[in-house]
Amino acid sequence: MSKKRTPLKRAKDYALYVTMRRAVRGNARFVSGGAGHILLRAPEGTVPGEYSTAAFHLLYPNEDIVKADSGYMLLDDAMKEGKILNEFEVECGSKNRSIIVAASNAVIPAGIKVAVDSVLDLEPIGARELRIAARVALKMRMSEEQALQLLKYPKEHMWIALRSERSLDDILRRMASLHREEEPAGKPEPVQASGLLSEMHGYGKAKEWGLQLSRDLYDWSVGTIPWDDVDKGLVLSGPPGVGKTVFAKALAAECGVELVAGSLGQWQAAGHLGDTLKAMRATFAKAKKAAPSILFIDEIDSFGDRSRFAPDNKDYSTQVVNALLEQIDGIEGREGVVILGATNNLENIDRAILRSGRLDQLIEIGMPNAADRIAILAAHLKGDLAADDLEVLKVATNYMSGADLAKAAREARRIARQAKRPVCLEDVTASLPPTVKIEGEMRRFIAVHEAGHTLVGTLLKNGLFIGTTIVDAISAQNASSQGGAAYFDMPLIARRDRQFYCDQIAVMLAGIAAEEIVFGAFADGGAADLAAATRIATLLESRFGMGGTLRHSLATEDAELERLRQFDRYLSDRVHHTMQEGFERAKAILLDARRLLDDVANELIEVGSLMPDRLAELMDLGAAEPRIVTRSGSAANSAGGFVPRTDCHPMT
């Protein structure tokens, strides 16, 4: 008759199992089901018998207990040496593998020390083990702060109070009420949960990746999948303030694992090169000891790229990068450790760090969209105002990062505290940058500019037109606020010849071309358009061999391209000629479609947006299809693509 191991249904048993599995993980053969005899010394204040269920799960992960060749025994402080040796011989000696759990103060006979392969100490249950147990056994999400609060109470009370049908807030209230007489004088601070990634907004693909990692780490922890199936590294890029550090904390909370943080600046603060490398290794060792864990390396671009190091510090910097690669690879393995890097400058990271098997997942976090901004602001206001109440602030929060929104929420609460009342919408509005309405002549200027981009891009079939918008107001404190945008999509694969890039340049310059036609001159709002067109024209001449020479240049960065133009007069003249030709071409197209230009601009002024179907209606209402002028000045229909979802750098 077969006998199967009992399931780990209790949170206590699962927490003890986690501590036991962690203690024996150094013996890879035993963990994988191989032969071996392990003695585990229980923490002070615990009874060895508490570990019985956990030990059976470690000994018999999938097997029939009767058929399995495994043994188990307890060793307490009252047992005599003869009895200990005799029981070991009966229960474990003839078995292929066994676990002995000894009391902390038990005397271990020399015969047992010789017989076992390892004598290891079990760690007490901590916040990490409690969180994992609550998640697996009770399907309950628990923050590190909540776990630490629960661990302050007697363990026997805590395990009884932890029940899946109760909320954590209810459990904490019950425990606080029961042990109120033990609390220090004064009202204790309420326990607040750390944000879980599943509750966060504005992270897009990074959030999807994190939620999948959480599921994979759980499956790995219960033995469903091997470590090789878990993503082991990610680099998050994005502008300052988008919440890369917050993401790391929320990811660790979602996964129920410890977050270990480090950075090159922190490690270098330890002293000279040897101290820096020692501090780095210590951080990786800490993460490995805490596994499963997430190791967060902030500003990972500060390590630099070995191919760009200056001669005076090349040796030092190369050794630091090499040491990082060594730790990421993990000579002794880093099972259970996921590395998360953050950067504002992805291009400055050494390519070897990003290769397959290291930090090979790259995800960019952009500025939050309108819906995410409102959700983030509501979260920071902690229930004082609902997201629906904040919808009117979409424009006022435009171009604000998560950090900006958190600051605004703090300011709103401060205003309300001073007035001794709850937070209201006026408090939040007062904490945001002032806005300037886009109306009158300014609205017309922007509408004409965006109409130019829209028509030239569409008539040149330069990608798929997605839509055009202009805003009702912009932030008075954000100099980079955009008044409008025209969006185009292109297929992933397209033939990019000189005509393709000349079409791009014409589309980029179509905004200022429309201004010159309608107003007689263009304003400074097209500076970003000029920058984009200049870059394309320079690459045409210097990198792609599509200009006056087949010479190839390695320059791709804007600063490098600027130096090329400064020191190569011939190149500079060619760039000017190409852009002037594109500008005149855009003007010719718009002059031929003059009535349509006015119609599109008026639509944008009145409605604020233009969708593809409405543009098609306006074009059908016009006369014959306007002439399409190629770069040589002849009439033709030009095929080609466009950069993915670009806004043509609209007016500000």
Side-chain angles (χ1 to χ4, degrees):
M1 181 177 179
S2 67
K3 178 182 178 184
K4 298 292 183 181
R5 60 175 173 79
T6 57
L8 284 170
K9 294 182 178 179
R10 299 193 308 166
K12 177 182 178 180
D13 290 333
Y14 201 91
L16 293 172
Y17 168 76
V18 173
T19 63
M20 185 172 284
R21 182 180 173 87
R22 185 177 178 184
V24 303
R25 69 177 177 214
N27 191 324
R29 183 176 65 174
F30 188 87
V31 171
S32 63
H37 300 279
I38 306 292
L39 187 145
L40 298 171
R41 198 189 300 270
E44 186 176 352
T46 62
V47 178
E50 296 180 66
Y51 290 87
S52 296
T53 302
F56 272 96
H57 268 259
L58 199 58
L59 283 169
Y60 315 108
N62 301 303
E63 299 176 77
D64 187 302
I65 292 178
V66 173
K67 295 179 181 179
D69 188 18
S70 302
Y72 171 70
M73 69 172 283
L74 301 174
L75 196 162
D76 62 40
D77 58 346
M79 294 175 68
K80 302 296 183 181
E81 180 175 350
K83 183 178 180 182
I84 292 172
L85 295 175
N86 183 64
E87 187 167 334
F88 175 81
E89 187 63 29
V90 173
E91 299 293 338
C92 306
S94 61
K95 304 294 185 181
N96 192 39
R97 50 196 261 114
S98 69
I99 290 178
I100 305 169
V101 181
S104 61
N105 58 347
V107 177
I108 303 173
I112 297 295
K113 292 180 181 179
V114 172
V116 300
D117 299 300
S118 304
V119 177
L120 305 169
D121 289 326
L122 289 166
E123 296 290 335
I125 293 173
R128 187 183 72 92
E129 291 78 21
L130 180 56
R131 293 172 68 195
I132 293 174
R135 178 183 175 187
V136 175
L138 304 176
K139 312 302 179 189
M140 179 186 293
R141 300 284 188 178
M142 181 184 296
S143 71
E144 185 173 4
E145 291 88 348
Q146 289 171 323
L148 290 171
Q149 184 71 13
L150 283 169
L151 289 169
K152 293 178 181 178
Y153 300 115
K155 300 299 184 294
E156 60 272 19
H157 294 170
M158 179 188 72
W159 295 124
I160 293 172
L162 275 171
R163 288 162 47 182
S164 58
E165 69 272 15
R166 291 177 177 171
S167 70
L168 272 169
D169 288 339
D170 182 34
I171 293 170
L172 285 166
R173 280 194 296 269
R174 289 171 180 266
M175 297 295 285
S177 176
L178 179 63
H179 299 278
R180 185 160 290 148
E181 65 276 7
E182 301 176 13
E183 293 286 346
K187 185 178 179 180
E189 288 291 320
V191 177
Q192 295 179 347
S194 296
L196 298 172
L197 184 59
S198 54
E199 301 168 354
M200 307 295 277
H201 300 273
Y203 286 114
K205 291 183 179 179
K207 179 177 179 178
E208 295 175 12
W209 180 88
L211 295 179
Q212 182 61 53
L213 177 67
S214 176
R215 292 188 288 269
D216 289 346
L217 282 179
Y218 168 73
D219 290 341
W220 171 74
S221 69
V222 297
T224 305
I225 64 173
W227 177 246
D228 286 344
D229 287 354
V230 181
D231 273 346
K232 303 168 185 65
L234 168 72
V235 172
L236 280 180
S237 65
V242 294
K244 296 184 285 291
T245 302
V246 172
F247 176 87
K249 295 177 180 178
L251 177 62
E254 185 72 35
C255 296
V257 301
E258 184 174 340
L259 178 67
V260 179
S263 68
L264 179 58
Q266 174 188 328
W267 295 328
Q268 284 181 327
H272 57 68
L273 177 60
D275 297 320
T276 298
L277 301 185
K278 182 178 179 182
M280 182 196 303
R281 293 180 185 119
T283 301
F284 274 83
K286 180 180 179 182
K288 185 176 179 181
K289 183 177 181 181
S293 65
I294 292 172
L295 174 55
F296 178 60
I297 305 177
D298 200 8
E299 297 178 345
I300 196 168
D301 57 285
S302 60
F303 285 89
D305 185 342
R306 287 171 296 180
S307 65
R308 302 180 183 178
F309 288 156
D312 56 344
N313 66 348
K314 185 173 184 178
D315 290 343
Y316 173 92
S317 300
T318 299
Q319 288 186 67
V320 174
V321 173
N322 289 343
L324 176 65
L325 296 175
E326 177 187 327
Q327 293 302 309
I328 292 175
D329 288 337
I331 294 175
E332 298 177 356
R334 58 176 175 91
E335 183 170 328
V337 179
V338 177
I339 300 178
L340 175 63
T343 178
N344 300 333
N345 301 291
L346 186 62
E347 65 276 6
N348 290 341
I349 300 178
D350 194 294
R351 296 299 98 182
I353 295 174
L354 305 177
R355 76 154 174 77
S356 298
R358 290 174 180 158
L359 310 190
D360 51 9
Q361 297 288 332
L362 307 175
I363 297 179
E364 181 178 1
I365 301 177
M367 300 293 277
N369 60 28
D372 286 333
R373 291 196 305 273
I374 296 304
I376 292 169
L377 187 58
H380 284 300
L381 289 170
K382 300 177 180 178
D384 291 329
L385 289 170
D388 291 343
D389 302 322
L390 302 170
E391 285 289 319
V392 295
L393 300 178
K394 282 184 176 179
V395 172
T397 58
N398 206 14
Y399 301 105
M400 293 183 71
S401 67
D404 296 331
L405 295 167
K407 179 182 178 182
R410 289 195 300 271
E411 177 64 15
R413 290 196 300 272
R414 185 189 65 78
I415 294 172
R417 283 198 307 271
Q418 289 181 340
K420 297 182 179 179
R421 54 169 172 72
V423 176
C424 63
L425 183 62
E426 289 72 21
D427 299 331
V428 184
T429 303
S431 70
L432 296 172
T435 58
V436 177
K437 287 187 176 181
I438 302 298
E439 55 188 358
E441 278 300 296
M442 181 55 69
R443 189 172 181 84
R444 177 165 170 75
F445 292 152
I446 294 174
V448 168
H449 183 102
E450 300 308 333
H453 286 310
T454 302
L455 286 177
V456 174
T458 302
L459 293 172
L460 288 179
K461 297 182 174 61
N462 204 225
L464 177 65
F465 175 61
I466 303 298
T468 303
T469 61
I470 61 174
V471 300
D472 295 323
I474 61 173
S475 170
Q477 293 185 6
N478 193 333
S480 63
S481 295
Q482 293 178 341
Y487 297 94
F488 291 85
D489 249 337
M490 68 166 288
L492 291 176
I493 300 175
R495 186 173 186 273
R496 296 175 174 87
D497 56 8
R498 180 175 175 84
Q499 185 67 59
F500 170 85
Y501 289 109
C502 287
D503 288 349
Q504 275 198 346
I505 292 170
V507 175
M508 289 291 181
L509 299 180
I512 60 174
E515 290 185 61
E516 186 163 293
I517 290 171
V518 176
F519 306 114
F522 57 83
D524 61 358
D529 295 334
L530 287 169
T534 302
R535 174 181 172 81
I536 295 170
T538 308
L539 291 172
L540 245 179
E541 299 287 340
S542 64
R543 184 174 180 83
F544 302 147
M546 297 178 183
T549 174
L550 289 175
R551 184 194 66 184
H552 171 75
S553 170
L554 295 175
T556 57
E557 301 297 327
D558 288 338
E560 296 173 330
L561 296 174
E562 177 67 18
R563 283 193 292 272
L564 283 180
R565 291 189 295 268
Q566 287 177 349
F567 294 107
D568 188 337
R569 181 61 181 270
Y570 176 74
L571 171 65
S572 181
D573 289 344
R574 292 288 303 173
V575 169
H576 165 72
H577 175 77
T578 301
M579 290 181 61
Q580 188 67 43
E581 190 179 63
F583 178 69
E584 297 299 335
R585 184 170 167 231
K587 279 182 64 177
I589 294 172
L590 293 173
L591 283 169
D592 201 51
R594 183 68 173 81
R595 179 179 172 183
L596 189 55
L597 176 63
D598 290 337
D599 290 343
V600 171
N602 290 334
E603 182 83 7
L604 290 172
I605 291 170
E606 295 170 10
V607 181
S609 64
L610 180 69
M611 295 296 105
D613 54 350
R614 179 55 179 160
L615 176 60
E617 290 178 7
L618 292 175
M619 295 180 73
D620 288 342
L621 291 173
E625 183 177 343
R627 290 184 313 121
I628 306 303
V629 183
T630 67
R631 66 180 185 276
S632 60
S634 61
N637 281 319
S638 174
F642 198 46
V643 291
R645 213 165 174 78
T646 181
D647 58 9
C648 299
H649 301 279
M651 281 184 64
T652 58

